[in-house]
Amino acid sequence: GGGGASFFGLEAQGSRFAYIVDRSSSMRGAKMTRTRTELGQSVSGLTENGEYLIVFYSDEPEALGGRARWRDASERSKQDARRLIESVVPMGGTKPMPAFELVFGQRVKPDAIYFMTDGRFGDDVPVKIESMNRRHRIPVHCILFGEPSRSSALVQDVRAMMQRICDDSGGLFR
């Protein structure tokens, strides 16, 4: 308890938030610019008693600042985070599972997880997330940014997977 967060318009309650954010090659340009802005605003809005962990992913996960640890939401920490967020460069594929493993592997669990992607990921991801989250039941709020393909069938597949992650965890989908 004790606060909340908002990312791409999705509200979450609590004081400890994990962000799992796509930085694959398809995020180049305006998508990454908007993502940096939204993420910076979300971190800025956290209360001083809050904590956060940001993990960018492509082929491999990369925790903001190089270490997967909870950061306090002090003004100094948030300023440092905004600076580091601006230096993230899109590259690679769309493989979110190692980032989820990193977040769920933390000794202290988040109150909510934000998961943002613009692309297609493995069909097994929703089932694996559900399995990792079965004990803790942490809400995973999913953001599908843009359309992952011109193929309407592929778009529907990604939407369905994101919706399943939300439904399984009690999270919201946008």
Side-chain angles (χ1 to χ4, degrees):
S6 178
F7 185 48
F8 279 96
L10 290 179
E11 303 286 331
Q13 296 302 305
S15 60
R16 189 174 297 113
F17 302 94
Y19 300 83
I20 298 175
V21 181
D22 191 344
R23 69 172 234 164
S24 63
S25 295
S26 61
M27 290 293 295
R28 287 190 176 111
K31 285 183 183 179
M32 184 51 77
T33 300
R34 171 100 186 271
T35 298
R36 287 183 188 117
T37 299
E38 293 280 345
L39 190 53
Q41 289 173 347
S42 183
V43 168
S44 293
L46 297 175
T47 59
E48 290 261 342
N49 69 329
E51 293 181 300
Y52 62 96
L53 170 61
I54 300 171
V55 182
F56 288 94
Y57 69 90
S58 57
D59 292 323
E60 296 292 330
E62 184 180 331
L64 190 70
R67 286 187 38 218
R69 63 177 177 82
W70 291 107
R71 295 170 167 261
D72 66 76
S74 67
E75 281 307 313
R76 183 176 180 180
S77 172
K78 293 190 281 190
Q79 183 177 10
D80 184 48
R82 288 188 300 268
R83 180 183 53 79
L84 291 169
I85 289 165
E86 288 302 317
S87 68
V88 173
V89 177
M91 67 175 91
T94 307
K95 299 176 184 169
M97 275 316 302
F100 274 98
E101 290 165 357
L102 197 149
V103 168
F104 280 107
Q106 297 294 305
R107 185 180 59 78
V108 178
K109 305 299 183 225
D111 295 321
I113 297 170
Y114 286 109
F115 170 43
M116 191 280 290
T117 190
D118 79 332
R120 178 87 164 92
F121 47 85
D123 292 340
D124 59 343
V125 169
V127 172
K128 288 181 176 180
I129 293 169
E130 179 187 22
S131 177
M132 286 189 290
N133 199 13
R134 189 168 287 134
R135 184 170 155 220
H136 304 286
R137 189 97 170 126
I138 300 162
V140 180
H141 303 293
C142 297
I143 299 107
L144 178 57
F145 188 12
E147 299 296 340
S149 167
R150 288 193 174 107
S151 161
S152 62
L154 185 57
V155 170
Q156 289 306 105
D157 285 350
V158 175
R159 284 184 180 155
M161 287 192 296
M162 296 288 274
Q163 187 66 58
R164 178 172 177 192
I165 292 167
C166 293
D167 292 347
D168 290 345
S169 69
L172 302 172
F173 175 61
R174 178 176 183 164

